[in-house]
């Protein structure tokens, strides 16, 4: 079995009295596409924020490539090869698509690119960026921005990628394209943790899935075991019209 690349041990994040993430332990293996699902407010984004350094967890541990990175700042996580995309895409609006991705290449943790702009252009091609590279980010639509964000993360040379609701707002055709792209990103040896509401996408691409409910992990297994899990169906899947 492949080595564990990311592990959390009893990870907790409390906001005043609210247990947004409550003793969540999980392991993502090298090259895996790992899905994190659960109803709105279950703690999925908070979990990512704690792991990727947006804010420190209240308790528990985060191990990345065997190193304890609990409480490490976002830029430290990034330099170790842990990249993320955001539920609400962030970009530098006045800069062109190419310049946005070049920022990722310049801050690449893995190696110094002699031609960061060339590398950025390659990454835009890899994600099949559908517009002119010189388009200002402010003029891009949702799908284009999502691809831009992925290209920027890849240009940074990440080994692990968090995707938060990357398929939200996409058309069925775009959904097929993004599914293919997620697989191709894994094909580059990058492990992925994907937070997503669209069960079709999750069941299609994930090797393993964990389910959160009120901050607690209620199940963890293959897509087949998750769909037949009673607690999961009760908490979440039963209410999902888009299961099949
Ligand atoms: N910065 C914050 N301050 C206070 N409460 C928060 C904060 N971020 C998230 N929460 C609360 O934590 C819970 C989990 O939220 P979130 O992680 O965004 O859920 P999900 O991404 O699964 O929809 C929710 O009840 C939310 O209101
Ligand atoms: Mg969220």
């Amino acid at each position: 079995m492949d080595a564990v690349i990311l592990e959390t041990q009893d990870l907790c994040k409390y906001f005043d009295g609210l247990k947004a993430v409550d003793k969540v332990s999980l392991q993502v293996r090298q090259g895996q596409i790992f899905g994190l699902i659960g109803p709105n407010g279950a703690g999925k984004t908070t979990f990512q924020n704690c792991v990727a350094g947006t804010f420190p967890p209240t308790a528990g541990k985060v191990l990345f490539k065997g190193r304890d990175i609990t409480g490490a700042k976002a830029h430290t996580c990034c330099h170790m090869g842990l990249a993320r995309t955001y539920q609400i895409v962030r970009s530098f609006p006045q800069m062109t698509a190419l310049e946005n991705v070049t920022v990722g290449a310049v801050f690449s943790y893995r190696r110094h690119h002699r031609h960061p702009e060339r590398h950025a252009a390659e990454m835009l091609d890899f994600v099949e960026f559908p517009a002119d590279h010189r388009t200002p980010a402010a003029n891009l639509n949702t799908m284009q921005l999502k691809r831009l964000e992925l290209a920027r993360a890849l240009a940074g040379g990440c080994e692990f990628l968090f995707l938060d609701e990357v398929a939200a707002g996409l058309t069925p055709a775009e959904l097929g394209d993004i599914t293919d792209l997620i697989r191709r990103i894994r094909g580059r040896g990058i492990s992925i943790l994907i937070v997503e509401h669209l069960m079709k996408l999750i069941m299609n691409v994930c090797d393993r899935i964990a389910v959160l409910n009120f901050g607690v992990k209620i199940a963890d297994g293959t897509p087949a075991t998750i769909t037949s899990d009673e607690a999961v169906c009760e908490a979440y899947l039963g209410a999902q019209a888009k299961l099949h």
Side-chain angles (χ1 to χ4, degrees), residues 172 175 197-205 242-244:
L175 189 63
H197 274 300
L198 273 176
M199 282 307 113
K200 201 172 157 207
L201 176 70
I202 285 286
M203 295 298 164
N204 256 332
V205 301
K242 287 176 180 146
L243 183 54
H244 295 294

Side-chain angles (χ1 to χ4, degrees), residues 13 29 43 64 74 80 98 107 116 130 136 143 156 175 181 192 198 207 227-228 235 240:
K13 182 68 187 182
R29 294 185 178 277
F64 183 56
M80 288 185 70
L98 184 63
F107 291 102
M143 183 62 204
L175 189 63
L181 180 54
I192 297 170
L198 273 176
D207 305 301
T227 35
S228 56
Q240 286 281 318

Side-chain angles (χ1 to χ4, degrees), residues 36-237:
L36 188 60
I37 63 171
N40 261 331
K44 306 178 297 293
T45 298
T46 304
F47 176 84
Q48 281 195 61
N49 285 336
C50 288
V51 173
T54 306
F55 42 59
T58 308
K61 267 190 184 172
V62 182
L63 305 173
F64 183 56
K65 295 189 282 189
R67 284 171 60 185
D68 188 341
I69 61 156
T70 313
K73 293 276 188 336
H75 63 267
T76 309
C77 294
C78 181
H79 279 280
M80 288 185 70
L82 196 72
R84 69 178 302 189
T85 64
Y86 290 87
Q87 194 167 342
I88 297 160
V89 177
R90 297 172 182 196
S91 66
F92 303 106
Q94 289 85 10
M95 287 162 61
T96 67
L98 184 63
E99 286 164 350
N100 266 276
V101 179
T102 304
V103 171
V106 167
F107 291 102
S108 169
Y109 92 100
R110 228 183 219 177
R111 62 193 167 104
H112 175 69
H113 289 286
R114 195 176 295 178
H115 302 289
E117 206 173 82
R118 195 182 301 166
H119 182 64
E122 282 167 16
M123 291 305 104
L124 279 169
D125 288 341
F126 178 81
V127 302
E128 294 171 345
F129 187 71
D132 192 306
H133 291 186
R134 291 163 301 184
T135 314
N139 297 355
L140 300 174
N141 66 28
T142 307
M143 183 62 204
Q144 292 165 336
L145 281 170
K146 289 198 170 177
R147 287 185 191 264
L148 177 81
E149 217 184 19
L150 289 172
R152 189 169 53 195
L154 294 174
C158 64
E159 287 178 57
F160 194 101
L161 185 59
F162 280 109
L163 301 177
D164 198 355
E165 308 223 0
V166 72
L170 302 186
T171 65
E174 288 170 339
L175 189 63
D177 292 347
I178 206 91
T179 305
D180 173 58
L181 180 54
I182 292 168
R183 290 209 182 97
R184 287 195 298 118
I185 291 173
R186 186 252 295 275
R188 297 175 72 91
I190 297 168
S191 315
I192 297 170
L193 189 144
I194 175 167
V195 167
E196 190 52 68
H197 274 300
L198 273 176
M199 282 307 113
K200 201 172 157 207
L201 176 70
I202 285 286
M203 295 298 164
N204 256 332
V205 301
C206 292
D207 305 301
R208 199 174 177 88
I209 296 170
V211 187
L212 293 186
N213 194 30
F214 295 113
V216 176
K217 187 177 90 169
I218 57 168
D220 187 340
T222 61
T225 45
I226 291 298
T227 35
S228 56
D229 187 295
E230 252 177 57
V232 175
C233 286
E234 204 164 299
Y236 185 51
L237 294 182

